[in-house]
Amino acid sequence: MLAETICSAVSAAGLGIAAVTAYRRRFLTATRIAAYSLVPVGLVMTGVVEWLSGIVFQPSVWIGFGLLGLAWLLLVTTRAVERRRSGEERGSAKAARGGAAREAVAPAASAPSLGTGTGTGTRTGTRTGSAPAAAAPPAEDFSDIEAILKKHGI
């Protein structure tokens, strides 16, 4: 009963403000204020306010919300534990396979085409001294780039 009275008073005040706004020749704003001020009365007349007040003041409803929260917490916790366990199993399987096995983006790709970096030189690419220790192959190998492009569907 109190909620209905408050909603009616809010609506009446809103309609009064809308009338004053319309008197100042701001009709678009007055119409918007009138629309917002009719919402509380509409909620009272449809029974939504009574339904909400019935939910808020019943302890069994709050116990139900608590149980829903507990169920959600248990589900999230079990998912986290399951993910952690599957991660440990994957780690132990890797150790059993070879321990130091390195995962590559493209398993069939050759070594990087930049070389090992054993030669000495300046930043511009000119080398000092005699011939480099390991000469690069004459034809460039693009298999690692092809593997990356295939991985992305290009």
Side-chain angles (χ1 to χ4, degrees), residues 3-4 7-8 11 35-52:
E4 290 86 358
C7 287
S8 299
S11 289
Y36 280 125
S37 65
L38 292 175
V39 169
V41 171
L43 290 175
V44 167
M45 294 180 88
T46 58
V48 172
V49 173
E50 184 179 338
W51 176 74
L52 282 175

Side-chain angles (χ1 to χ4, degrees), residues 34-116:
Y36 280 125
S37 65
L38 292 175
V39 169
V41 171
L43 290 175
V44 167
M45 294 180 88
T46 58
V48 172
V49 173
E50 184 179 338
W51 176 74
L52 282 175
S53 64
I55 286 177
V56 170
F57 297 118
Q58 287 183 359
S60 61
V61 173
W62 288 105
I63 291 170
F65 281 128
L67 290 175
L68 286 174
L70 178 65
W72 177 80
L73 182 68
L74 290 173
L75 287 171
V76 169
T77 304
T78 55
R79 272 189 76 125
V81 169
E82 187 178 42
R83 283 183 183 172
R84 182 171 290 190
R85 282 189 182 168
S86 66
E88 290 174 358
E89 290 172 1
R90 277 189 259 142
S92 63
K94 283 182 188 177
R97 275 188 290 169
R102 197 177 107 193
E103 288 188 29
V105 174
S110 65
S113 61
L114 297 176
T116 59

